[in-house]
Amino acid sequence: MASQPERPVLLTGWGRTAPTAARVVRPRTAAQVAHALADAGPRGVLARGLGRSYGDAAQAAGGTVLDCTGLTGPIRLDADRGEVTVPAGASFDRLIAHLLERGYFVPVTPGTRQVTVGGAIAADVHGKNHHADSSLGAHVRSLTLAAPTGEALTLTPDGPDAELFRATLGGMGLTGVITEATLAVLPVETSYMRVDTDRTDSLDATLDLMARTDADYRYTVCWVDLLARGSAMGRGVLTRADHAGLRDLPPALRRAPLRHRAGSPLAAPPWAPPGLLNSWTVGAFNTVYRGAAPRRRRGEAQPIAGFFHPLDAVRDWNRLYGPRGLVQYQFVVPLGAEDTLVRIMEGLSRAGAPSFLTVLKRLGEGTGGHLSFPRPGWTLAVDLPADLPGLGRMLRRFDERLLAADGRLYLAKDGRADAETVHAMYPDLPAWRKVRERVDPDGVLVSDLARRLRLL
Amino acid sequence: MRDSVGTVRTVLLLGGRSEIGLAIVERLVREGAREVVLAARGGVAEPPGALTALGAKVHSLEFDATAPDTHTATVDAAVALVGDLDVVVDAFGVLGTQSDYEADPAAAARAAAVNYTGHVSAGLAVAARLREQGHGALVVLSSVAGVRVRRFNFVYGSAKAGLDGFAQGLADSLHGSGARVLVVRPGYVPTRMSAHVDPAPFPATPGRVAEAVSAGLRSGATTVWAPRVLAPVFAGMRLMPRPIWRRLGR
Ligand SMILES: Cc1cc2nc3c(=O)[nH]c(=O)nc-3n(C[C@H](O)[C@H](O)[C@H](O)COP(=O)(O)OP(=O)(O)OC[C@H]3O[C@@H](n4cnc5c(N)ncnc54)[C@H](O)[C@@H]3O)c2cc1C
Ligand SMILES: NC(=O)c1ccc[n+]([C@@H]2O[C@H](COP(=O)([O-])OP(=O)(O)OC[C@H]3O[C@@H](n4cnc5c(N)ncnc54)[C@H](OP(=O)(O)O)[C@@H]3O)[C@@H](O)[C@H]2O)c1
């Protein structure tokens, strides 16, 4: 039986901003998940993965949180069908290592390997290939969901309960606990990427280059410098890539083309003084980072880990933001709403927002998940220190701009938006609620995010 | 629930007409709080315009500090109105006059019940709820008067000393529960309560107290002084020889 410690545990998201206490249990089997759901107290139950959502999505104050990282077991690759069946608690780190060794890759990966399969489906995560391949949900062939009613449901994109399948993609754990999933996999010849890099000198140049050349590559992303002044604001380093074939590799690498070295990460200091990351230190970092990037380079072979997950090289880097933590603001605006994108970037720049992680990307088609974030348009993600003066007010102003431009915020990153704003951004919320009421009639599933945004 | 930029949504004020309490609530509403419960004797008939003008929804509840049997019910009623309590401000109290208390011991005991035992039952009732919900902050209006009790106002001061100690113990009991207590030690603040006494050095205004509370809630402090200089001042006062301390006027 899963152990049931009596003392509550304080939980936060990756941003380490708003701790709340919950009883944490660690189920190891689907049966133990079902038992924990049946055992729910008045403050509800919620699944948690590796806690890489930034805000309050994976915490449930006063309730029971199921640490789903115990849901492990064998990973089963079916090469004939081009799919893999994984327990929901497996990390992408483990899954990617397993697949690469056998000449396959995950269909979508977020910017860190330290997420669980369940958490990734619950947020319907997107990667650098969204414009070409959509988000993870488009590649989920089936999933097993432990519903609060005690049933174990097998859901597929066009099976009898396709509605519940859709509600679960991006459903932030509020439709049930995912215990296993089958994902389509991508055959690869090597564990390297063939990368083209370009440095741009202005925001216009950045947007223009992305709009013109995205379609030529499977993976694209742009790191942008918001602290640069004047016309240099929004200059960036654009990287675009495809999986490298055997012939793309220099001879030295061809001998072990599928070698994957995730490496053990360097640890950030456990304690950082408040204000370590300010507009001076981050401005200097940006200048150095950009300067280190080539103005133009073609066909460079980069290991998968370095290309997709550079931040995984430093463990606990979120602690660099000090005791008050960090907020990530990520939104998407439709194509054609570049004006809103530019205005928000200018606002961040004017505020001297010390973001050393500012990422711009074009998104393609969504998956139909009711609460799934991605939709065609531009998405910007910025990391900001939570104690930046006036941060709350500034972000509320940005929210208003987003609403006017039919944009939306990413729930997996949010910890501060208000309910009305998010309701307006997700028009499928009422339909999602109907599905949810059917699977969770007693309102067992709940999260701090759901309470704050009145999603239920 | 406090959000990632430190904004709260709901606030309960015990002592719903307290000038300092309302200044704190107003500050929290300016920063984004949306639902306010004012708990006072006989309720609060007219929601303060300052709060409604800022867009807050204001509710009123009956609350009497001298009726400890009702305190849990008051907390439950507040939860029924607004849901989880993000911040509870405990701001009720009476100052009175030391010479009157010395002439009327029963009146002194009644004041002590408002200034000390009322906070014990209310504080424990609030703490139970915050522990259950796994988050939230209780802001307790202590006073420098309790830091070292003076002959000049020892009935009031001793109750504040008791309250201050109670609040610190309560804070420790909540450690790890997700809930916390912020002890506030203002000096002299010109309000209705202090209108009949002479101003003391290092005064603050209700607004300044509110500012200190807001900063303390954001930074995770356990104690705030208003103004801040009172912390070192009272560290010195504690060392003052008793014969001199005894003769201090105000
Ligand atoms: C450095 C970094 C880079 C990132 N890059 C990207 C990116 O490029 N693209 C992107 O889309 N996201 C990105 N993210 C966000 C991250 O991918 C998502 O927040 C993801 O959901 C985290 O997975 P997790 O296992 O940590 O889940 P948690 O954060 O623990 O939980 C997230 C949500 O999933 C639910 N959940 C968890 N497990 C289950 C389960 N078994 N069943 C049902 N629900 C469950 C939780 O209830 C919660 O609502 C990034 C995060 C970090 C820290
Ligand atoms: N002002 C200062 O100089 C100063 C300095 C340090 C600390 N403090 C403390 O700060 C807190 C707020 O003071 P303030 O200056 O805002 O004074 P205030 O405006 O007089 O507020 C005190 C409130 O307590 C309420 N109260 C008194 N007896 C009560 C009872 N039996 N039941 C319920 N409520 C009762 C009063 O309610 P009614 O409206 O019904 O009378 C009043 O609204 C107090 O705890 C005080 O001790 C004040």
Side-chain angles (χ1 to χ4, degrees), chain A residues 17 93 121 133 243 259 285 315 320 343 366 374 376 408 440:
Chain A
T17 41
D93 191 41
I121 295 172
D133 297 328
H243 288 281
R259 178 190 188 123
F285 168 87
R315 186 157 40 89
L320 292 176
R343 297 285 283 278
R408 63 162 58 144
D440 186 16

Side-chain angles (χ1 to χ4, degrees), chain B residues 22 74 132 135-136 144 155 165 196 210 223 227:
Chain B
L22 284 172
T74 302
E132 186 185 323
H135 71 98
V144 293
V155 171
H196 63 289
T223 313

Side-chain angles (χ1 to χ4, degrees), chain B residues 14-22 39-41 63-67 90-95 114-115 119 141-145 156 160 163 184-194 197 206 250:
Chain B
L14 299 173
R17 274 181 295 268
S18 150
E19 283 184 48
I20 295 177
L22 284 172
R41 281 178 293 185
F63 170 72
D64 185 345
T66 59
D90 171 349
F92 55 90
V94 287
L95 180 55
V114 176
N115 288 334
H119 297 273
L141 269 301
S142 175
S143 167
V144 293
Y156 174 79
K160 283 294 188 194
L163 170 58
V184 188
R185 297 188 187 129
Y188 172 80
V189 185
T191 66
R192 260 188 312 156
M193 173 184 275
S194 56
V197 297
R250 256 207 72 79

Side-chain angles (χ1 to χ4, degrees), chain B residues 120-140:
Chain B
V120 172
S121 47
L124 289 170
V126 168
R129 171 62 203 184
L130 300 190
R131 183 187 293 282
E132 186 185 323
Q133 67 185 29
H135 71 98
L138 171 62
V139 176
V140 175

Side-chain angles (χ1 to χ4, degrees), chain A residues 119-286:
Chain A
I121 295 172
D124 195 6
V125 298
H126 57 277
K128 297 182 180 186
N129 57 339
H130 192 276
H131 64 287
D133 297 328
S134 190
S135 51
L136 185 62
H139 309 273
V140 177
R141 299 226 170 128
S142 86
L143 58 84
T144 311
L145 188 73
T149 48
E151 300 154 281
L153 306 167
T154 302
L155 305 173
T156 58
D158 29 43
D161 209 343
E163 259 311 270
L164 181 54
F165 180 85
R166 287 212 298 136
T168 301
L169 303 182
M172 303 312 286
L174 298 166
T175 59
V177 179
I178 302 164
T179 55
E180 187 180 85
T182 299
L183 311 174
V185 290
L186 183 73
V188 291
E189 283 182 21
T190 77
S191 61
Y192 291 85
M193 306 303 294
R194 195 185 58 228
V195 185
D196 288 353
T197 305
D198 287 270
R199 229 159 62 179
T200 60
D201 294 323
S202 68
L203 182 56
D204 282 348
T206 304
L207 297 179
D208 177 62
L209 190 60
M210 293 182 82
R212 277 192 295 113
T213 64
D214 256 16
D216 304 340
Y217 300 82
R218 183 169 214 140
Y219 301 95
T220 72
V221 75
C222 188
W223 171 90
V224 288
D225 183 356
L226 290 178
L227 287 180
R229 294 284 140 204
S231 66
M233 195 286 289
R235 65 187 182 177
V237 179
L238 178 60
T239 49
R240 293 158 300 170
D242 285 295
H243 288 281
L246 209 49
R247 285 176 320 167
D248 297 319
L249 295 188
L253 296 178
R254 276 184 216 167
R255 257 167 282 137
L258 289 169
R259 178 190 188 123
H260 169 59
R261 258 189 318 204
S264 55
L266 283 165
W271 177 87
L276 175 67
L277 296 183
N278 54 44
S279 61
W280 296 103
T281 53
V282 174
F285 168 87
N286 285 355

